[in-house]
Amino acid sequence: MKNRTFHRAGNEVLAVNKTDKKFYLIREDVLPEAMKKTLDAKEMIERGRAESVWEAVQKVDLSRSAFYKYRDTVFPFHTVVKEKLITLFFYLEDRSGTLSQLLGVVASSGCNVMTIHQTIPLQGRANVTLSLNTSGMTMEIEELLSKLRKMEFVEKVEVLGSGA
């Protein structure tokens, strides 16, 4: 992802070289309100719930200037994930069959496992890193992460990176 910016064009995300820009993955709860509202307005326009920028910003109570300031700089995580690869880190309880169950959930989402790295379990816990090809995903990444976090032996799931 280094030296790229992502722009949505219909259902595609275009990667554009931007050698002077850096990108960060930030939790939603720490985003400024104007950025959250910009994301909401962009989604309304994309899904046809608003016919114009003016209508969308009115519905989310955002100024047009704030919308235009952030529209090309803030993107939902799932649009970046469409770049096809994602790396996930897991902290798992060491029980028989846990990796198999975890991989079953990943496979049911339509992801293809590219690499698996598992540490030797210490004190009943193991670290697992999966690199996944998400081009065949049948659900949003947030839904997959939610399913993985709900598994009783999964103590932690983190997204380490995404991109092509």
Side-chain angles (χ1 to χ4, degrees):
M1 279 189 5
K2 192 173 184 182
N3 299 331
R4 292 184 184 172
T5 188
F6 298 94
H7 297 279
R8 191 177 241 329
N11 291 331
E12 299 294 320
V13 175
L14 306 173
V16 179
N17 284 332
K18 289 287 215 177
T19 56
D20 59 339
K21 304 292 181 195
K22 291 183 181 180
F23 289 85
Y24 301 92
L25 181 63
I26 302 170
R27 282 192 340 257
E28 179 183 23
D29 62 320
V30 297
L31 278 178
E33 197 65 29
M35 287 184 176
K36 291 179 194 178
K37 289 180 177 183
T38 299
L39 288 168
D40 291 342
K42 286 171 58 171
E43 183 177 1
M44 292 174 96
I45 294 166
E46 182 180 317
R47 294 179 185 240
R49 293 186 189 136
E51 293 185 23
S52 66
V53 169
W54 183 87
E55 183 181 350
V57 298
Q58 290 294 310
K59 287 182 176 182
V60 298
D61 191 30
L62 178 69
S63 71
R64 284 183 18 164
S65 63
F67 175 83
Y68 286 114
K69 177 179 181 179
Y70 294 121
R71 75 171 179 177
D72 293 326
T73 61
V74 61
F75 305 92
F77 183 68
H78 65 87
T79 62
V80 178
V81 173
K82 288 183 182 177
E83 283 295 298
K84 308 296 186 228
L85 297 178
I86 188 167
T87 302
L88 302 177
F89 170 82
F90 299 87
Y91 191 55
L92 308 175
E93 290 180 28
D94 181 33
R95 291 194 258 168
S96 179
T98 57
L99 185 57
S100 176
Q101 289 177 46
L102 182 84
L103 293 174
V105 171
V106 169
S108 71
S109 75
C111 289
N112 183 30
V113 177
M114 306 301 287
T115 64
I116 302 172
H117 180 265
Q118 181 176 357
T119 61
I120 295 173
L122 297 174
Q123 299 178 347
R125 305 288 182 266
N127 296 329
V128 174
T129 304
L130 299 179
S131 294
L132 308 173
N133 181 329
T134 61
S135 61
M137 274 188 87
T138 57
M139 63 180 70
E140 296 291 336
I141 188 65
E142 292 88 356
E143 183 181 349
L144 173 61
L145 293 172
S146 177
K147 286 183 176 186
L148 294 168
R149 287 184 177 113
K150 289 178 182 173
M151 299 179 86
E152 66 181 58
F153 53 83
V154 174
E155 294 188 8
K156 184 178 191 179
V157 179
E158 289 182 356
V159 177
L160 295 183
S162 68

